[in-house]
Amino acid sequence: MPKQVFYEPDALNYPLGKKLINYFEKTNIPMKPTTSHNRVIGIVGDTPGEAYREAKHTLVIGIRRSKTFQTCKPSAHYQLPLATSCPGMCEYCYLATTLGPKPYLRIYVNIDEILDITRNLIENRAPEITIFEGAATSDPIPVEKYTGNLKKTIEFFGQEPLGRFRFVTKFTDIESLLNAEHNNHTRFRFSLNCQQAIKQFEHGTPQLLDRVIAASKMLKAGYPIGFIIAPIFKFENWQDEYTELFTLLEKYLYENMPSNWSPKDLTFEFISHRYTLRAKSNILNVFPKSKLPMKEEERKFKYGQFGYGKYVYDPDDINELKEFFLNKTEKYFPGAKIEYFI
Ligand code: SF4
């Protein structure tokens, strides 16, 4: 539950806005109007860490007014914005950099208008298939219990022969989505890491076993599923920790797979740990005691495609990691599709 709620008064013109504002009025949670969901005044904290935590407990109910979506290369054609941020506090969350020092949660109540834009974008590219990414600006699962927007979007794509939807989550409140009519047009991806990384860096998110169980439920419900394993760290015992991750996946996925399922239907994305100096400075502002390995002298500097440089593992380390993860994938899930390893 949020600690405070803000809403744009125009949100009351939409059924979902009315429902949510009525709902929060009946709780003891303080709620105030705000003139814009982009500029919310009233999230305070004496330190960057306090302001960040305050933002993570703040929910803003707004209307998305832009008439188009941003592109989302290379994994999809467009972002599909349903929400921003999430209540988790992962130290390496890229949204902490893109959303600024107060990454408050925001939900959009004009879902029908958002889906109208989606429909137009699909029609513009017909007869090609158009792919939309639902997690470019948020983890969409934690606010689903309030909005139902994700289920509506999944069912919208179920009816769209030329539209495909994908998103990624670390959260496990997926029960309401199990019976959605997805028609195999939505790929449900889970973001995983080894237990040690989750415990140390992914504050306020479900543990590994719970994510794997949630993934197995989605598999059983017939969804195409996939995994992003990120960020991958090379630390003492990393092989044991990541082997355990594959063992858990093997146990729960094969136990729950539908009769016509093959590991070839799975996708994997692997991202080794990297950071920019800007991200490092933001992380240390919010988590001054962070144990994230961010020593420039232990990394290789590499220019990114957007012009800024990042610190990545040494090529020999990356090759070792890559070989390990590709071999494990083939051993446990022969034929699974590896989208990329970076
Ligand atoms: S769960 Fe995802 S969106 Fe939420 S803080 Fe962690 S990395 Fe960021």
Side-chain angles (χ1 to χ4, degrees):
M1 289 295 270
K3 277 209 242 156
Q4 60 177 345
V5 176
F6 291 90
Y7 67 95
E8 286 182 317
D10 284 351
L12 279 162
N13 298 330
Y14 294 84
L16 177 58
K18 208 182 261 178
K19 183 185 113 183
L20 287 171
I21 292 163
N22 285 342
Y23 170 79
F24 284 111
E25 260 169 3
K26 293 192 188 108
T27 66
N28 289 328
I29 300 168
M31 182 163 66
K32 282 189 220 141
T34 177
T35 46
S36 163
H37 67 71
N38 288 322
R39 285 183 307 280
V40 178
I41 298 162
I43 303 174
V44 289
D46 289 340
T47 63
E50 274 179 26
Y52 169 88
R53 281 184 285 278
E54 193 70 12
K56 287 283 185 173
H57 289 113
T58 300
L59 179 68
V60 177
I61 301 168
I63 299 162
R64 190 175 188 278
R65 293 185 173 81
S66 167
K67 297 286 176 232
T68 189
F69 300 159
Q70 291 193 25
T71 54
C72 192
K73 286 176 185 161
S75 63
H77 296 101
Y78 295 102
Q79 300 183 3
L80 202 167
L82 297 172
T84 54
S85 193
C86 103
M89 297 188 211
C90 305
E91 295 187 16
Y92 30 64
C93 178
Y94 80 105
L95 295 177
T97 306
T98 55
L99 297 179
K102 295 179 184 172
Y104 54 84
L105 282 77
R106 175 169 46 194
I107 49 187
Y108 297 122
V109 296
N110 53 333
I111 181 68
D112 292 330
E113 290 166 8
I114 291 172
L115 294 179
D116 284 344
I117 298 172
T118 312
R119 190 177 295 109
N120 285 340
L121 292 170
I122 294 173
E123 281 168 7
N124 289 346
R125 281 182 36 87
E128 301 294 321
I129 298 259
T130 305
I131 305 170
F132 293 80
E133 167 62 59
T137 55
S138 71
D139 188 313
I141 292 286
V143 290
E144 177 62 7
K145 62 179 179 236
Y146 300 127
T147 67
N149 279 351
L150 197 52
K151 184 171 185 186
K152 199 164 183 177
T153 304
I154 291 170
E155 295 196 326
F156 165 88
F157 277 97
Q159 300 295 316
E160 284 289 332
L162 297 178
R164 296 291 181 276
F165 186 44
R166 63 210 306 268
F167 61 90
V168 60
T169 185
K170 286 186 171 72
F171 285 83
T172 53
D173 314 330
I174 42 86
E175 303 296 329
S176 68
L177 304 174
L178 290 173
N179 65 357
E181 293 184 12
H182 56 79
N183 204 15
N184 291 332
H185 289 178
T186 292
R187 185 170 291 274
F188 206 119
R189 288 129 75 225
F190 284 84
S191 167
L192 305 179
N193 214 322
C194 61
Q195 310 250 34
Q196 187 175 322
I198 292 176
K199 201 164 154 217
Q200 239 182 334
F201 306 123
E202 299 187 356
H203 316 292
T205 64
Q207 56 166 300
L208 175 61
L209 177 61
D210 293 334
R211 294 186 208 176
V212 173
I213 291 174
S216 70
K217 287 183 185 169
M218 299 319 285
L219 176 65
K220 201 171 180 181
Y223 279 88
I225 65 166
F227 298 99
I228 298 189
I229 301 186
I232 294 169
F233 294 102
K234 196 162 181 275
F235 55 91
E236 223 189 309
N237 296 338
W238 64 272
Q239 288 104 327
D240 295 344
E241 286 266 338
Y242 287 113
T243 301
E244 198 184 325
L245 189 162
F246 277 98
T247 318
L248 265 186
L249 278 179
E250 179 192 38
K251 173 172 160 40
Y252 283 91
L253 296 193
Y254 285 115
E255 262 175 22
N256 290 286
M257 64 183 190
S259 55
N260 57 351
W261 186 79
S262 142
K264 290 191 175 119
D265 300 335
L266 268 185
T267 58
F268 280 90
E269 297 157 77
F270 298 106
I271 306 174
S272 58
H273 181 246
R274 67 249 346 270
Y275 64 91
T276 62
L277 289 182
R278 184 170 163 223
K280 178 178 174 177
S281 148
N282 287 341
I283 292 167
L284 293 177
N285 262 337
V286 174
F287 302 100
K289 294 186 182 149
S290 175
K291 296 228 165 42
L292 271 174
M294 294 188 291
K295 288 193 183 137
E296 286 79 85
E297 60 276 18
E298 292 174 3
R299 296 295 178 96
K300 186 175 159 36
F301 182 75
K302 192 176 163 193
Y303 275 107
Q305 55 172 321
F306 301 112
Y308 53 80
K310 53 195 162 193
Y311 288 89
V312 300
Y313 278 114
D314 185 79
D316 288 345
D317 288 337
I318 299 224
N319 285 338
E320 194 184 349
L321 290 168
K322 186 171 177 181
E323 199 184 332
F324 173 88
F325 279 94
L326 269 45
N327 285 341
K328 289 286 175 198
T329 307
E330 192 50 31
K331 178 177 169 202
Y332 288 90
F333 302 105
K337 185 169 179 215
I338 293 168
E339 306 253 24
Y340 54 82
F341 186 110
I342 56 170

